[in-house]
Amino acid sequence: MRIMTRRIGSSPRQAAGNLHRKDENRFPVRSLTPPQAAGHALAIAVRIFIVAVLAFSLAGVPVAVAVDSGESVVEQVIQRGVLRVGMSTFVPWAMKDKTGRLIGFEIDVATRLAEDMGVKVEFVPTKWSGIIPALLTGKFDVIIGGMGILPSRNLKVNFTDPYDFTGMSVVASKKMAEGMMGIEAFNKPGIVIAARLGSTAVTATKKYLPEAEIRMFDDEAQAYQELINGRVHAVVGSAPTPAFQVIKYPDKLFLPVEGTFTREPIGFALRKGDIDTLNFFNNWIGYVNAEGWLKERKTYWFETKDWESQIQ
């Protein structure tokens, strides 16, 4: 008698199930609690952020990373004992005297502010064209440097209430611009206007003298030297500096426009998101303005020449 045997195996579906169970044993899946899942996601996000920063840095793209310490600038300044002020030199806002010491209207303002805070002041001279980026990267605490409040700037920084008002005026070369009077006389092709790079003088020139050529300089003194040397027709700058240049060089320069042709508010500039510091600065400006101190300092630096002997 022949005994029939049948091999017992597994169906394809059973085989797949066995394989799946083996994989589960080899690679167990661990379920995460909500807090663990959140932490895991955060860790991944941090890694991605670091990789992105490194990638941009290697590519030569400047990356500014702001670290929120949770303290306002005012609190940091008081703890540090020093108020760091970004500024740029231009007469009579900020300049060096014969000994190399900084003097001027803005120097007085920043020094008084630091005194009222009970701290020392440290001035950080900075090129005007790069002064806002320097503020944003933490090179100093505030800009006190005759900065006009413009919407384009306000998108990047916060401004205090105005503590001063200024305007643009024009000083011209007697050699290059003989007989030219009024702002419109300079709005022609072939006319060359010098102005400080990154300043509101450039903005005013583009707006009121669109036909003229603008030649820009990092240092305002360079622009005036170009005018004195007879290489440009005029300089557009914040009053009263153009008038001072005429007094200094009456045989070479003249004022083709009486007074100013613009009016702009001036404020402190600080990093965004710091309400406490903005509140303190605004109240301080209101306080010294009410006591007449700002007016007295403005009169001294802008309406007299009593300080001129300090820089000559």
Side-chain angles (χ1 to χ4, degrees):
M1 181 172 77
R2 194 167 66 177
I3 300 174
M4 302 292 295
T5 61
R6 185 163 67 95
R7 184 177 178 184
I8 300 175
S10 21
S11 67
R13 182 178 296 176
Q14 291 173 322
N18 292 335
L19 181 60
H20 180 68
R21 283 190 291 273
K22 288 179 181 178
D23 287 342
E24 284 183 336
N25 293 332
R26 290 174 60 193
F27 307 104
V29 177
R30 180 168 58 91
S31 61
L32 299 176
T33 64
Q36 289 173 327
H40 184 64
L42 178 61
I44 292 175
V46 169
R47 291 191 189 107
I48 292 173
F49 175 75
I50 293 172
V51 170
V53 170
L54 290 174
F56 276 108
S57 298
L58 291 174
V61 179
V63 179
V65 180
V67 180
D68 185 2
S69 65
E71 293 181 336
S72 68
V73 166
V74 166
E75 291 174 309
Q76 294 174 29
V77 167
I78 292 174
Q79 291 179 10
R80 189 192 310 130
V82 176
L83 174 68
R84 302 173 304 173
V85 177
M87 41 71 67
S88 190
T89 55
F90 55 114
V91 179
W93 285 266
M95 52 201 163
K96 289 185 178 181
D97 66 8
K98 297 174 183 178
T99 66
R101 183 176 63 93
L102 285 168
I103 61 171
F105 176 66
E106 304 291 2
I107 304 303
D108 284 358
V109 170
T111 301
R112 168 70 189 271
L113 173 61
E115 288 175 355
D116 288 347
M117 294 178 72
V119 299
K120 296 179 180 179
V121 63
E122 176 187 331
F123 293 104
V124 185
T126 307
K127 285 186 176 182
W128 194 250
S129 57
I131 200 165
I132 287 180
L135 171 69
L136 297 180
T137 54
K139 297 290 179 60
F140 36 80
D141 305 308
V142 61
I143 297 173
I144 302 179
M147 179 167 279
I149 300 173
L150 297 177
S152 58
R153 289 172 175 166
N154 210 173
L155 291 172
K156 302 173 184 177
V157 299
N158 278 345
F159 282 104
T160 62
D161 295 337
Y163 65 99
D164 186 25
F165 286 86
T166 189
M168 293 296 125
S169 60
V170 182
V171 56
S173 164
K174 286 186 174 181
K175 175 184 175 182
M176 296 282 289
E178 184 179 1
M180 297 174 66
M181 295 300 294
I183 192 70
E184 283 301 322
F186 294 84
N187 187 30
K188 299 175 182 177
I191 300 298
V192 182
I193 305 295
R196 187 179 198 170
L197 181 65
S199 69
T200 49
V202 173
T203 306
T205 302
K206 289 179 178 179
K207 180 178 180 179
Y208 293 95
L209 306 172
E211 299 297 322
E213 175 189 342
I214 306 176
R215 193 171 296 171
M216 293 175 281
F217 298 87
D218 277 329
D219 191 336
E220 192 173 54
Q222 294 174 318
Y224 285 109
Q225 191 60 52
E226 198 80 347
L227 179 67
I228 294 164
N229 292 340
R231 299 194 185 102
V232 297
H233 292 82
V235 169
V236 172
S238 295
T241 306
F244 287 168
Q245 293 295 319
V246 172
I247 294 172
K248 194 173 182 180
Y249 302 99
D251 57 330
K252 294 185 177 182
L253 308 178
F254 73 101
L255 294 174
V257 178
E258 184 178 350
T260 62
F261 63 94
T262 68
R263 176 176 165 82
E264 59 187 70
I266 305 298
F268 300 173
L270 61 155
R271 290 182 288 276
K272 287 185 173 292
D274 192 345
I275 297 175
D276 287 346
T277 301
L278 184 61
N279 176 70
F280 175 78
F281 286 163
N282 281 338
N283 286 328
W284 182 85
I285 290 169
Y287 175 78
V288 294
N289 195 31
E291 72 175 15
W293 183 84
L294 277 176
K295 182 178 180 181
E296 183 269 323
R297 290 289 83 198
K298 181 76 181 285
T299 299
Y300 175 79
W301 289 108
F302 291 86
E303 298 178 21
T304 78
K305 299 286 282 186
D306 295 345
W307 48 266
E308 194 172 34
S309 61
Q310 299 180 58
I311 61 174
Q312 292 182 343

